[in-house]
Amino acid sequence: MKYTFYSVTDVGRRRANNEDSVVFDEATQLGVLADGMGGYNAGEIASGMATALLKSALVHWLSEAPPQAKTGEVKRAIELCVANVNRSIFKAARSNRQYAGMGTTLVLGVFHHDRLLVGHIGDSRCYRWRGAELLQITQDHSFLQEQIDAGLLTPEQAATAPKKNLLTRALGIEPEALLELKEHRVEAGDIYLLCSDGLWDMLPNAAIASVLQKGSSLAQMATELVASANLNGGRDNITVLLTQATATL
Protein backbone atom coordinates (compact mmCIF):
# COMPACT_ATOMS: atom_id res chain seq x y z
CA MET A 1 0.00 0.00 0.00
CA LYS A 2 1.20 3.50 -0.85
CA TYR A 3 0.21 6.53 1.25
CA THR A 4 0.11 10.15 0.12
CA PHE A 5 -0.25 13.03 2.58
CA TYR A 6 -1.30 16.67 2.43
CA SER A 7 -1.91 19.15 5.24
CA VAL A 8 -3.10 22.73 5.65
CA THR A 9 -3.67 24.91 8.70
CA ASP A 10 -5.44 28.24 8.93
CA VAL A 11 -5.93 30.75 11.74
CA GLY A 12 -9.66 31.08 10.97
CA ARG A 13 -11.69 34.27 11.15
CA ARG A 14 -11.94 34.93 14.88
CA ARG A 15 -8.52 34.15 16.35
CA ALA A 16 -5.39 36.29 16.34
CA ASN A 17 -2.99 33.34 16.56
CA ASN A 18 -2.93 29.70 15.51
CA GLU A 19 -2.71 27.16 18.34
CA ASP A 20 -3.01 24.19 15.96
CA SER A 21 0.04 22.31 14.74
CA VAL A 22 0.38 19.55 12.15
CA VAL A 23 3.27 17.49 10.76
CA PHE A 24 3.66 14.39 8.62
CA ASP A 25 6.41 12.19 7.24
CA GLU A 26 5.62 10.21 4.09
CA ALA A 27 8.72 8.04 4.37
CA THR A 28 7.52 6.52 7.65
CA GLN A 29 3.79 7.00 6.88
CA LEU A 30 3.17 9.13 9.95
CA GLY A 31 0.83 12.06 10.59
CA VAL A 32 0.40 14.08 13.79
CA LEU A 33 -2.06 16.89 14.59
CA ALA A 34 -2.51 18.84 17.81
CA ASP A 35 -4.77 21.67 19.02
CA GLY A 36 -3.25 23.56 21.94
CA MET A 37 -4.83 25.31 24.89
CA GLY A 38 -3.58 27.69 27.55
CA GLY A 39 -3.06 31.38 28.30
CA TYR A 40 -0.67 33.76 26.54
CA ASN A 41 0.88 31.73 23.71
CA ALA A 42 0.99 28.53 25.76
CA GLY A 43 -1.40 26.69 23.43
CA GLU A 44 0.99 27.22 20.56
CA ILE A 45 3.87 25.98 22.70
CA ALA A 46 2.03 22.82 23.77
CA SER A 47 0.80 21.84 20.32
CA GLY A 48 4.15 22.66 18.72
CA MET A 49 6.00 20.56 21.28
CA ALA A 50 3.58 17.67 20.75
CA THR A 51 3.95 17.51 16.98
CA ALA A 52 7.69 18.22 16.83
CA LEU A 53 8.68 15.80 19.60
CA LEU A 54 6.39 13.02 18.41
CA LYS A 55 7.54 13.36 14.82
CA SER A 56 11.19 13.24 15.87
CA ALA A 57 10.77 10.23 18.15
CA LEU A 58 8.45 8.20 15.93
CA VAL A 59 10.30 8.89 12.68
CA HIS A 60 13.48 7.69 14.39
CA TRP A 61 11.81 4.53 15.70
CA LEU A 62 9.93 3.72 12.50
CA SER A 63 13.03 4.33 10.37
CA GLU A 64 15.04 1.90 12.49
CA ALA A 65 12.31 -0.74 12.79
CA PRO A 66 12.57 -3.78 10.48
CA PRO A 67 9.91 -4.07 7.75
CA GLN A 68 8.54 -7.19 9.46
CA ALA A 69 7.93 -5.37 12.75
CA LYS A 70 4.64 -6.48 14.24
CA THR A 71 1.73 -4.14 14.80
CA GLY A 72 1.99 -4.71 18.54
CA GLU A 73 5.56 -3.41 18.52
CA VAL A 74 4.50 -0.26 16.67
CA LYS A 75 1.68 0.25 19.19
CA ARG A 76 4.10 0.04 22.11
CA ALA A 77 6.44 2.53 20.44
CA ILE A 78 3.58 4.98 19.93
CA GLU A 79 2.45 4.64 23.55
CA LEU A 80 5.98 5.15 24.88
CA CYS A 81 6.61 8.20 22.68
CA VAL A 82 3.30 9.81 23.66
CA ALA A 83 4.01 9.19 27.35
CA ASN A 84 7.43 10.83 27.03
CA VAL A 85 6.00 13.85 25.20
CA ASN A 86 3.24 14.20 27.78
CA ARG A 87 5.85 14.42 30.54
CA SER A 88 7.87 16.96 28.54
CA ILE A 89 4.87 19.27 28.13
CA PHE A 90 3.84 18.80 31.76
CA LYS A 91 7.33 19.66 33.01
CA ALA A 92 7.55 22.72 30.74
CA ALA A 93 4.22 23.97 32.10
CA ARG A 94 5.37 23.55 35.69
CA SER A 95 8.73 25.26 35.13
CA ASN A 96 7.38 28.41 33.44
CA ARG A 97 4.63 30.48 35.03
CA GLN A 98 3.36 31.71 31.67
CA TYR A 99 2.82 28.14 30.52
CA ALA A 100 0.98 26.96 33.65
CA GLY A 101 -1.93 24.71 32.75
CA MET A 102 -1.06 24.45 29.07
CA GLY A 103 -2.00 21.31 27.21
CA THR A 104 -3.09 20.06 23.83
CA THR A 105 -5.32 17.60 22.07
CA LEU A 106 -3.62 14.97 19.94
CA VAL A 107 -4.55 12.75 17.03
CA LEU A 108 -1.92 10.74 15.20
CA GLY A 109 -1.86 8.03 12.57
CA VAL A 110 0.81 5.50 11.69
CA PHE A 111 0.11 3.52 8.53
CA HIS A 112 1.77 0.11 8.81
CA HIS A 113 1.37 -1.99 5.67
CA ASP A 114 -2.44 -2.36 5.33
CA ARG A 115 -3.21 -1.20 8.87
CA LEU A 116 -3.77 2.19 10.44
CA LEU A 117 -2.85 2.72 14.06
CA VAL A 118 -4.71 5.82 15.18
CA GLY A 119 -4.23 7.31 18.62
CA HIS A 120 -5.94 10.31 20.13
CA ILE A 121 -6.43 12.37 23.27
CA GLY A 122 -9.14 15.03 23.39
CA ASP A 123 -11.45 16.11 20.57
CA SER A 124 -9.23 16.28 17.51
CA ARG A 125 -10.65 13.63 15.20
CA CYS A 126 -9.91 11.03 12.55
CA TYR A 127 -12.46 10.24 9.83
CA ARG A 128 -12.36 7.57 7.12
CA TRP A 129 -13.83 8.05 3.66
CA ARG A 130 -14.43 4.69 1.99
CA GLY A 131 -16.63 4.24 -1.05
CA ALA A 132 -19.40 6.75 -0.44
CA GLU A 133 -19.35 6.65 3.35
CA LEU A 134 -17.74 9.00 5.86
CA LEU A 135 -17.09 7.39 9.24
CA GLN A 136 -15.68 9.06 12.36
CA ILE A 137 -13.26 6.46 13.76
CA THR A 138 -12.24 8.34 16.91
CA GLN A 139 -14.57 9.24 19.75
CA ASP A 140 -14.10 12.60 21.47
CA HIS A 141 -12.80 12.71 25.02
CA SER A 142 -15.20 15.45 26.05
CA PHE A 143 -17.95 16.26 28.51
CA LEU A 144 -20.54 16.29 25.72
CA GLN A 145 -19.47 12.89 24.39
CA GLU A 146 -19.90 11.46 27.89
CA GLN A 147 -23.41 12.95 27.93
CA ILE A 148 -24.15 11.30 24.59
CA ASP A 149 -22.74 7.96 25.75
CA ALA A 150 -24.92 8.14 28.86
CA GLY A 151 -28.02 8.76 26.75
CA LEU A 152 -28.55 12.22 28.21
CA LEU A 153 -28.07 14.02 24.89
CA THR A 154 -28.50 13.11 21.24
CA PRO A 155 -25.68 14.04 18.83
CA GLU A 156 -28.03 16.65 17.36
CA GLN A 157 -28.65 18.20 20.79
CA ALA A 158 -24.93 18.12 21.57
CA ALA A 159 -24.18 20.20 18.46
CA THR A 160 -25.81 23.24 20.07
CA ALA A 161 -25.27 22.42 23.75
CA PRO A 162 -23.07 24.51 26.11
CA LYS A 163 -19.66 23.28 27.29
CA LYS A 164 -18.81 22.06 23.79
CA ASN A 165 -15.10 22.58 24.36
CA LEU A 166 -14.83 20.97 27.81
CA LEU A 167 -12.37 18.09 27.45
CA THR A 168 -12.03 15.08 29.72
CA ARG A 169 -8.52 14.25 28.48
CA ALA A 170 -5.63 16.33 27.19
CA LEU A 171 -1.90 15.90 26.63
CA GLY A 172 0.43 17.63 29.09
CA ILE A 173 -2.12 18.50 31.77
CA GLU A 174 -1.33 15.61 34.12
CA PRO A 175 1.86 13.59 34.76
CA GLU A 176 0.27 10.67 32.89
CA ALA A 177 -1.95 10.83 29.81
CA LEU A 178 -4.37 8.14 28.68
CA LEU A 179 -3.96 7.58 24.95
CA GLU A 180 -6.76 5.79 23.12
CA LEU A 181 -5.07 3.69 20.43
CA LYS A 182 -6.91 1.52 17.92
CA GLU A 183 -6.09 -0.50 14.81
CA HIS A 184 -8.05 -0.30 11.55
CA ARG A 185 -7.74 -2.21 8.29
CA VAL A 186 -6.93 0.00 5.29
CA GLU A 187 -8.31 -0.55 1.80
CA ALA A 188 -7.01 0.91 -1.45
CA GLY A 189 -8.86 4.13 -2.21
CA ASP A 190 -9.43 5.04 1.44
CA ILE A 191 -8.97 8.66 2.46
CA TYR A 192 -8.26 9.47 6.11
CA LEU A 193 -8.93 12.91 7.54
CA LEU A 194 -7.26 14.13 10.73
CA CYS A 195 -8.63 17.47 11.86
CA SER A 196 -9.01 19.90 14.74
CA ASP A 197 -12.39 20.99 16.08
CA GLY A 198 -12.10 24.15 14.03
CA LEU A 199 -13.13 22.00 11.07
CA TRP A 200 -15.72 19.60 12.44
CA ASP A 201 -17.42 22.21 14.62
CA MET A 202 -18.01 24.36 11.52
CA LEU A 203 -18.91 21.62 9.04
CA PRO A 204 -21.43 18.80 9.52
CA ASN A 205 -20.44 15.35 8.31
CA ALA A 206 -22.52 15.76 5.16
CA ALA A 207 -20.53 18.85 4.17
CA ILE A 208 -17.21 17.08 4.78
CA ALA A 209 -18.42 14.10 2.74
CA SER A 210 -19.51 16.34 -0.14
CA VAL A 211 -15.93 17.60 -0.47
CA LEU A 212 -14.27 14.19 -0.23
CA GLN A 213 -16.63 12.53 -2.70
CA LYS A 214 -15.44 14.83 -5.49
CA GLY A 215 -12.30 12.73 -5.83
CA SER A 216 -10.10 15.74 -6.58
CA SER A 217 -6.51 16.06 -5.41
CA LEU A 218 -5.73 16.00 -1.71
CA ALA A 219 -4.57 19.61 -1.95
CA GLN A 220 -7.84 20.71 -3.53
CA MET A 221 -9.93 18.81 -0.99
CA ALA A 222 -7.97 20.12 2.00
CA THR A 223 -8.14 23.69 0.73
CA GLU A 224 -11.89 23.43 0.11
CA LEU A 225 -12.53 21.99 3.58
CA VAL A 226 -10.72 24.90 5.23
CA ALA A 227 -12.44 27.47 2.99
CA SER A 228 -15.85 25.97 3.80
CA ALA A 229 -15.16 26.07 7.54
CA ASN A 230 -14.22 29.74 7.22
CA LEU A 231 -17.35 30.49 5.20
CA ASN A 232 -19.43 28.92 7.97
CA GLY A 233 -17.90 31.23 10.57
CA GLY A 234 -14.28 30.16 11.11
CA ARG A 235 -14.64 30.52 14.87
CA ASP A 236 -11.44 28.61 15.62
CA ASN A 237 -8.16 27.62 14.03
CA ILE A 238 -8.72 25.04 11.28
CA THR A 239 -6.29 22.22 10.54
CA VAL A 240 -6.66 19.34 8.10
CA LEU A 241 -4.38 16.40 7.32
CA LEU A 242 -5.49 14.11 4.50
CA THR A 243 -3.95 10.71 3.71
CA GLN A 244 -4.90 8.62 0.69
CA ALA A 245 -4.15 4.91 0.31
CA THR A 246 -3.46 3.45 -3.11
CA ALA A 247 -2.59 -0.10 -4.07
CA THR A 248 0.97 -0.84 -5.16
CA LEU A 249 1.78 -3.30 -7.91
Side-chain angles (χ1 to χ4, degrees):
M1 202 77 72
K2 178 184 176 182
Y3 297 98
T4 306
F5 294 74
Y6 187 85
S7 70
V8 60
T9 186
D10 188 88
V11 71
R13 292 188 164 183
R14 304 280 185 88
R15 300 295 181 92
N17 60 324
N18 193 344
E19 295 186 333
D20 288 358
S21 181
V22 61
V23 296
F24 65 84
D25 183 71
E26 281 196 349
T28 55
Q29 300 168 170
L30 163 72
V32 186
L33 185 151
D35 177 0
M37 63 198 80
Y40 301 98
N41 294 320
E44 291 183 16
I45 300 297
S47 63
M49 286 180 66
T51 56
L53 294 174
L54 280 170
K55 180 181 179 183
S56 176
L58 283 171
V59 165
H60 176 75
W61 191 93
L62 293 165
S63 298
E64 297 294 323
Q68 66 272 21
K70 296 181 179 179
T71 301
E73 295 175 290
V74 182
K75 284 183 178 179
R76 286 191 292 274
I78 293 171
E79 290 169 341
L80 178 61
C81 290
V82 170
N84 288 339
V85 170
N86 181 76
R87 284 191 289 271
S88 294
I89 297 172
F90 181 73
K91 289 178 181 177
R94 288 174 65 87
S95 63
N96 188 319
R97 186 179 303 174
Q98 286 191 321
Y99 300 158
M102 75 174 178
T104 182
T105 69
L106 172 71
V107 60
L108 66 88
V110 174
F111 294 87
H112 185 62
H113 304 305
D114 64 345
R115 293 289 187 270
L116 166 63
L117 299 175
V118 59
H120 80 292
I121 299 172
D123 65 356
S124 290
R125 294 179 176 179
C126 180
Y127 293 86
R128 182 187 70 203
W129 174 257
R130 176 178 291 169
E133 181 185 10
L134 182 72
L135 178 67
Q136 182 184 334
I137 62 174
T138 56
Q139 188 174 55
D140 298 344
H141 301 135
S142 67
F143 173 78
L144 282 186
Q145 186 61 53
E146 289 188 352
Q147 299 293 294
I148 294 170
D149 293 344
L152 301 175
L153 289 175
T154 66
E156 293 73 24
Q157 290 170 330
T160 56
K163 301 183 179 179
K164 291 186 68 172
N165 298 320
L166 184 58
L167 301 181
T168 54
R169 298 187 202 179
L171 189 72
I173 298 293
E174 302 287 345
E176 303 295 331
L178 184 58
L179 176 74
E180 186 171 341
L181 182 60
K182 293 188 176 180
E183 178 181 345
H184 298 271
R185 181 177 55 85
V186 178
E187 293 184 3
D190 284 355
I191 296 176
Y192 293 87
L193 164 65
L194 272 60
C195 63
S196 61
D197 65 341
L199 181 80
W200 62 256
D201 195 31
M202 293 289 95
L203 294 182
N205 284 5
I208 296 173
S210 70
V211 173
L212 298 182
Q213 73 182 2
K214 294 179 180 179
S216 50
S217 70
L218 295 186
Q220 289 174 311
M221 289 187 283
T223 301
E224 185 173 347
L225 285 170
V226 171
S228 297
N230 273 322
L231 283 173
N232 281 3
R235 289 193 299 266
D236 201 350
N237 309 141
I238 309 156
T239 303
V240 167
L241 172 59
L242 292 174
T243 307
Q244 185 164 31
T246 55
T248 54
L249 298 178

